[in-house]
Amino acid sequence: MRIGDLAARTGLTTKTIRFYENSGLLHPPPRTRGGYRDYPEQAATRLAFIRDAQHAGLTLADRAAHIDPAACGADDICTILTPERPRVTRAG
């Protein structure tokens, strides 16, 4: 999928997608013979997580820390790492 299609699908701008790619949040996709980026379907899922994490107040560094970059190859579904949650104990 070309970057314009990915942008339309995710509601992000092409500039934002390139920024996430340059920041390491999104793997650089393979290129077509013509030199166009050819994003896999999983890129939309990853970008949706990044966007939702931003809306939840996570910084760019926080978002990067919660995504396993090794688990998002062209043929893989992204693995989102879950931070350890504090235990809640019942009082009384």
Side-chain angles (χ1 to χ4, degrees):
M1 149 179 20
R2 290 198 180 163
I3 194 166
D5 298 328
L6 183 60
R9 188 168 169 185
T10 60
L12 299 170
T13 65
T14 57
K15 184 176 179 179
T16 299
I17 294 170
R18 285 189 206 101
F19 173 77
Y20 289 150
E21 188 179 318
N22 292 332
S23 298
L25 290 172
L26 185 65
H27 285 287
R31 301 275 183 151
T32 66
R33 283 185 167 183
Y36 293 102
R37 289 170 169 88
D38 188 20
Y39 290 94
E41 290 293 321
Q42 293 83 2
T45 302
R46 186 175 182 96
L47 287 170
F49 170 77
I50 294 167
R51 182 196 58 226
D52 292 347
Q54 180 182 22
H55 290 154
L58 274 74
T59 65
L60 191 63
D62 290 337
R63 286 176 269 166
H66 289 82
I67 296 177
D68 180 1
C72 267
D75 297 328
D76 298 323
I77 292 181
C78 301
T79 300
I80 299 169
L81 301 177
T82 307
E84 204 172 295
R85 296 175 192 234
R87 292 184 182 201
V88 177
T89 57
R90 182 180 261 180

